[in-house]
Amino acid sequence: MNTRKQLLIGLTLGRRQPRVSVKDRQITLEEEYASSIKEQIEIAQQAERAKLDFLFKADYVVAHPTFMKKSKGIATDPTLLFSIISQYTEKIGLVTTASTSFVPPYLLARQLQSLQWLSGGRAGWNVVTSIEGFENFSYEERPTSKIRYEKAVECTRVVKQLWTSYPHKVITGEYSESSIEVLNHKGSHFAVKGPLNVISHPKGTPPLFQAGASDEGRAFAAANADAIFAATPELSVAIELRADLRSRAVVIGRHVDEIRLLPGCYFFVGNTKEEAEEMHRQAHAHITMEQKYNAAEELLRVSLREFALTDVITEETLPPLDSTIRSRTHSELLYLYIEKNHPTVEEILSRTEVMHSAHWVVVGTAEEVAKEIIRWYEADAIDGIIAVPGGSDISLTLFLEQVIPKLAEQGLFRNEYTGSTLREHLGMDTQYKGEDK
Ligand SMILES: Cc1cc2nc3c(=O)[nH]c(=O)nc-3n(C[C@H](O)[C@H](O)[C@H](O)COP(=O)(O)O)c2cc1C
């Protein structure tokens, strides 16, 4: 019998490239929107047929030009989108993103608990502290990472308390009303009386995901997260991050396997290596040099324009990272690469940190992509992946219909669902913990 620990596999849900464009006046905006929702439901069902653990949706609450272009102007709230998807799927987990910097805990608890009920226990919460959008939420400037995480710690604690504050067993008559908990929480950032007006779910609370690997981010993840969506462009980065998070979790009394590292895996799968490479090339052909220089400057706080493309950059060229940096995780990754490799400007401008969110990029045939995922698994770098589709529909179909079965053949992924909640897929306990008082 094969006893290998299985991989956890999620898929980021996004839009396909529209086949007909509104600009050509062949369809109306409303038709385009309706078809984008239909497409995402179809992708969700396709992922469920492949028995994936969960769907994942990032979210930014700002009309940033890049995000607007990507979402074609309508970045539907992910929790609302998953509410619809929950009605067209049965088993797959639904991990939505919501920011502790912007949404107050009562509302967060209510929305996520509602999704938990709508989906029959399949909701998950990707807890973000956000790097964009503060101007839309009464902030004068982006708070430092330290303050954002302080708020995240308090917010998350309150959300978890609210989730169990009104036990469902009171409604069924198994518990007395004295089991209902008033929180009377008064902290540095929030005052919440409670209880929540959506009862606890019999299958337990939604698992917590987290993204952000600064020192504060790691401390938060080790204490709170069940899974981490990680930006790990290199194998060595993933090994270090996973080992560090696991040892931090143990120090604070958690079991080492309660923390699951799931790097973003940006994949381009082709019928041939050449087809995959061409998809990868085309996906980035539209990124101008200007955009690359801007992205690198934002990460490094130094303009690379003054250098020739062949000039070598070392750590001496870089200013120290300070607390006002946009995303410490992303900047630190690029700093690390420069320190280790002393690359040319041209090499820096083509890095994944500059071109696409610092994710691990995998390009090849289904065989090659499966092999690469297994290589990282065997190096103790990952507990699974959050797959980010790159390229055309072919790439996604090959990933779901060929890469996943190859992992299953090796005993590293399921052939059938054994549970129907996200907690079950993640191997978490599913017993309701609330007690009668
Ligand atoms: C892989 C990854 C994905 C993220 N996704 C989101 C997101 O969807 N929405 C958001 O507002 N912030 C997102 N963030 C930002 C983090 O929540 C966090 O604010 C940021 O990384 C700064 O934290 P740090 O100091 O730990 O790097 C993401 C960060 C990482 C590394």
Side-chain angles (χ1 to χ4, degrees):
M1 197 179 82
N2 201 330
T3 54
R4 293 173 101 183
K5 199 173 126 200
Q6 295 204 340
L7 288 161
L8 296 165
I9 303 187
L11 179 78
T12 63
L13 190 59
R15 298 205 44 193
R16 294 189 188 124
Q17 286 304 312
R19 279 173 213 110
V20 258
S21 98
V22 178
K23 280 201 182 134
D24 301 337
R25 301 189 189 286
Q26 287 166 295
I27 56 169
T28 65
L29 265 179
E30 287 94 333
E31 284 166 343
E32 153 99 0
Y33 184 72
S35 90
S36 90
I37 299 295
K38 193 166 161 260
E39 260 172 31
Q40 294 187 76
I41 293 171
E42 281 166 9
I43 295 172
Q45 291 172 328
Q46 206 184 347
E48 190 166 68
R49 281 196 296 277
K51 319 291 177 211
L52 295 202
D53 292 291
F54 60 89
L55 295 158
F56 182 95
K57 193 118 178 116
D59 191 39
Y60 294 90
V61 274
V62 63
H64 189 287
T66 318
F67 306 150
M68 291 301 280
K69 208 169 163 210
K70 254 192 183 169
S71 67
K72 300 273 177 272
I74 311 169
T76 301
D77 182 285
T79 312
L80 290 178
L81 181 65
F82 279 137
S83 309
I84 295 192
I85 290 177
S86 72
Q87 305 305 299
Y88 290 88
T89 50
E90 288 173 4
K91 304 272 187 187
I92 195 161
L94 308 169
V95 183
T96 185
T97 295
S99 175
T100 52
S101 297
F102 304 146
V103 193
Y106 197 92
L107 202 50
L108 275 171
R110 187 164 185 259
Q111 288 174 342
L112 290 152
Q113 188 101 300
S114 301
L115 184 60
Q116 183 77 336
W117 274 100
L118 280 164
S119 63
R122 293 185 284 135
W125 174 25
N126 180 34
V127 185
V128 294
T129 61
S130 298
I131 36 187
E132 302 280 356
F134 289 85
E135 64 280 18
N136 295 328
F137 293 88
S138 313
Y139 288 89
E140 277 175 11
E141 56 184 17
R142 178 173 52 232
T144 60
S145 177
K146 189 168 176 291
I147 293 175
R148 299 204 309 273
Y149 278 109
E150 255 171 44
K151 200 171 174 184
V153 168
E154 188 184 332
C155 180
T156 309
R157 190 181 316 128
V158 175
V159 168
K160 282 167 130 177
Q161 285 170 349
L162 284 169
W163 278 340
T164 52
S165 61
Y166 205 124
H168 62 275
K169 291 193 174 180
V170 173
I171 300 289
T172 56
E174 291 161 83
Y175 285 180
S176 61
E177 294 224 340
S178 62
S179 303
I180 302 168
E181 250 178 64
V182 178
L183 272 62
N184 280 328
H185 171 86
K186 284 197 177 68
S188 323
H189 299 279
F190 306 104
V192 181
K193 185 169 175 225
L196 193 64
N197 62 352
V198 184
I199 52 170
S200 66
H201 195 278
K203 300 277 173 60
T205 55
L208 300 194
F209 284 56
Q210 183 271 356
S214 62
D215 193 44
E216 287 92 1
R218 289 176 184 213
F220 178 80
N224 296 285
D226 300 301
I228 291 105
F229 178 31
T232 58
E234 311 278 348
L235 178 66
S236 57
V237 173
I239 293 174
E240 185 280 326
L241 180 60
R242 181 166 180 267
D244 182 50
L245 288 169
R246 284 163 73 88
S247 61
R248 284 178 193 241
V250 170
V251 168
I252 54 174
R254 296 182 73 192
H255 188 278
V256 70
D257 291 330
E258 282 178 41
I259 201 113
R260 302 154 179 89
L261 190 82
L262 312 177
C265 175
Y266 188 30
F267 66 81
F268 293 80
V269 194
N271 286 304
T272 60
K273 175 103 178 154
E274 294 68 38
E275 187 186 21
E277 279 171 349
E278 181 54 22
M279 279 193 264
H280 180 241
R281 200 194 57 73
Q282 276 183 18
H284 307 107
H286 68 281
I287 306 179
T288 62
M289 282 305 270
E290 187 58 20
Q291 287 169 323
K292 290 185 199 175
Y293 277 121
N294 288 343
E297 190 169 342
E298 191 164 66
L299 291 163
L300 301 175
R301 304 286 194 88
V302 70
S303 171
L304 297 180
R305 287 182 180 83
E306 292 119 50
F307 299 90
L309 284 175
T310 48
D311 280 352
V312 166
I313 302 294
T314 66
E315 55 276 29
E316 274 92 62
T317 323
L318 308 175
L321 286 174
D322 64 27
S323 64
T324 58
I325 200 96
R326 183 171 168 270
S327 167
R328 183 165 277 272
T329 300
H330 293 96
S331 293
E332 277 178 355
L333 287 169
L334 194 54
Y335 267 60
L336 187 71
Y337 168 74
I338 292 170
E339 267 167 35
K340 271 175 80 176
N341 299 288
H342 292 175
T344 63
V345 170
E346 191 168 23
E347 284 166 335
I348 294 175
L349 294 180
S350 64
R351 284 293 297 173
T352 171
E353 293 87 339
V354 174
M355 305 251 279
H356 33 70
S357 311
H359 287 311
W360 165 29
V361 183
V362 187
V363 185
T365 60
E367 184 80 41
E368 288 164 334
V369 170
K371 252 193 181 161
E372 184 63 357
I373 295 171
I374 294 170
R375 186 170 78 90
W376 279 44
Y377 165 84
E378 287 177 345
D380 283 337
I382 59 175
D383 296 287
I385 55 169
I386 298 191
V388 183
S392 64
D393 292 357
I394 299 170
S395 173
L396 178 60
T397 302
L398 289 173
F399 180 80
L400 294 174
E401 294 180 5
Q402 294 194 18
V403 176
I404 298 290
K406 284 185 197 307
L407 298 172
E409 272 165 31
Q410 299 295 315
L412 293 180
F413 198 65
R414 66 166 71 78
N415 289 307
E416 279 307 327
Y417 284 110
T418 50
S420 53
T421 66
L422 181 57
R423 292 184 76 91
E424 285 169 312
H425 301 337
L426 296 184
M428 295 169 66
D429 76 74
T430 49
Q431 291 303 306
Y432 172 68
K433 289 281 174 51
E435 283 169 35
D436 193 14
K437 297 208 178 74

